Amino acid sequence: ILIPFMRSNIDYYRKVGTRKANALSKLSVAGSAFIEDSQIIDFRVAFGAVAPTVIRDKKLEKEIIGININQIHLRIDDIVEKYRQLIKPITDQRSTEEYRRETAINLLRDFLLKIAGAESF
């Protein structure tokens, strides 16, 4: 198995569950970004347990690449809305559809704000 190296200087991971010791999660979000001269050079984000399979949209990621981190605040609502369309969770014994969707979106927003608050690398 070959795993390609990704340069990143901002990494993000959140697992939402009932408790840390529980292996089952309600949802998870993992993201990675490489910022250079206040520009997003690489951006990746994946969502777990909010659709039948893990969500990652390379086309949408490419739209985010090239944005200046000072401009994230102007684009955040548009980015979030595009990802909201991809998230199709279910309601089960661990969580409701609404909780999973809104929590995933809030975590995406948190990741984007972390990028926006990054110092110039």
Side-chain angles (χ1 to χ4, degrees):
I1 296 175
L2 295 176
I3 300 173
F5 175 74
M6 178 194 168
R7 295 185 306 170
S8 68
N9 44 24
I10 298 178
D11 295 305
Y12 186 89
Y13 177 73
R14 298 290 184 272
K15 173 190 171 225
V16 179
T18 53
R19 57 191 177 136
K20 289 185 181 200
N22 191 344
L24 296 174
S25 63
K26 293 182 181 197
L27 68 113
S28 60
V29 177
S32 192
F34 182 66
I35 312 298
E36 189 172 68
D37 297 327
S38 298
Q39 206 73 12
I40 299 174
I41 304 300
D42 200 354
F43 176 88
R44 301 174 193 195
V45 66
F47 300 85
V50 294
T53 61
V54 172
I55 294 174
R56 180 168 176 227
D57 190 318
K58 292 180 183 182
K59 180 181 172 195
L60 197 46
E61 291 172 355
K62 286 180 182 178
E63 290 181 26
I64 297 166
I65 293 171
I67 298 174
N68 187 294
I69 61 172
N70 300 317
Q71 302 297 311
I72 289 285
H73 293 289
L74 301 175
R75 307 273 307 272
I76 197 165
D77 289 337
D78 181 51
I79 294 167
V80 164
E81 188 53 38
K82 288 178 179 178
Y83 274 103
R84 183 185 301 277
Q85 302 305 314
L86 300 174
I87 296 171
K88 307 285 187 212
I90 62 168
T91 296
D92 64 12
Q93 67 274 14
R94 289 176 297 188
S95 193
T96 66
E97 170 188 345
E98 295 82 14
Y99 176 83
R100 282 187 168 117
R101 179 179 295 107
E102 292 311 309
T103 302
I105 290 301
N106 288 337
L107 292 174
L108 171 62
R109 189 178 299 274
D110 186 53
F111 177 43
L112 293 169
L113 290 173
K114 183 177 178 181
I115 292 171
E119 295 179 20
S120 183
F121 290 97

